[in-house]
Amino acid sequence: MTQDMTREQAAELTNRCVTILAAAIDRDADAAGREITQIAETSGDAGVFCVATAVAEAVRRSAYPYNGTASVQMLTGGEPEDLSPDLRAELFAARFLAAHVNGDSQTAMALFRAPILAEDDEQACRNVAALVNLAASIARHQLAGESS
């Protein structure tokens, strides 16, 4: 996870994060997913974690500009493991975003690494896609508010 990046690599990853968010805001899940997959293939877990963190930071800066806190209160009716993969991904997205907004990087990292440690790459990708979709939904909501 602590792979050193050159400035060029960091700039490229930043541009790809913007591409992912733009695609998600435009409701083009396929394009966002392709970009996340390419990052996973070229940069591994470290690159995908950078994407997750960048997406969460974009939401924090736009939705919580005054360093407010976010909380997640969700009743699931069971343990996260009992949920469908899609619901687990949505739960991850809400929890990861709240941890990031609240400055709890250790929880964010633990949430991100859980499916990786369980060798469930499919769930890990599904989690990041759900985070991107959550960020896009928040961005669309804010854009709609600005145009009113």
Side-chain angles (χ1 to χ4, degrees):
M1 274 298 180
T2 58
Q3 175 184 351
D4 292 333
M5 276 192 214
T6 65
R7 283 187 174 191
E8 293 80 19
Q9 290 170 319
E12 178 186 343
L13 196 54
T14 299
N15 288 335
R16 294 178 93 175
C17 288
V18 171
T19 300
I20 290 166
L21 278 172
I25 289 169
D26 288 340
R27 299 182 195 280
D28 188 351
D30 290 339
R34 280 191 305 274
E35 197 69 29
I36 292 168
T37 299
Q38 288 176 357
I39 290 169
E41 290 171 355
T42 59
S43 301
D45 297 344
V48 178
F49 182 74
C50 288
V51 170
T53 302
V55 167
E57 182 63 13
V59 172
R60 186 192 70 77
R61 288 180 180 260
S62 64
Y64 303 97
Y66 303 108
N67 290 325
T69 58
S71 64
V72 177
Q73 297 175 345
M74 183 178 288
L75 299 172
T76 62
E79 295 297 317
E81 297 78 24
D82 298 332
L83 300 173
S84 71
D86 288 337
L87 287 177
R88 281 198 312 263
E90 290 177 15
L91 178 61
F92 161 84
R95 292 174 70 194
F96 184 92
L97 182 58
H100 182 81
V101 169
N102 291 329
D104 187 352
S105 59
Q106 289 181 337
T107 296
M109 178 64 83
L111 289 166
F112 177 80
R113 297 222 3 109
I116 295 167
L117 294 174
E119 298 182 4
D120 190 350
D121 293 341
E122 189 174 318
Q123 186 65 51
C125 289
R126 191 178 271 125
N127 288 354
V128 174
L131 176 63
V132 169
N133 287 333
L134 177 59
S137 177
I138 291 168
R140 282 192 297 272
H141 177 73
Q142 288 181 314
L143 291 171
E146 291 174 5
S147 64
S148 337

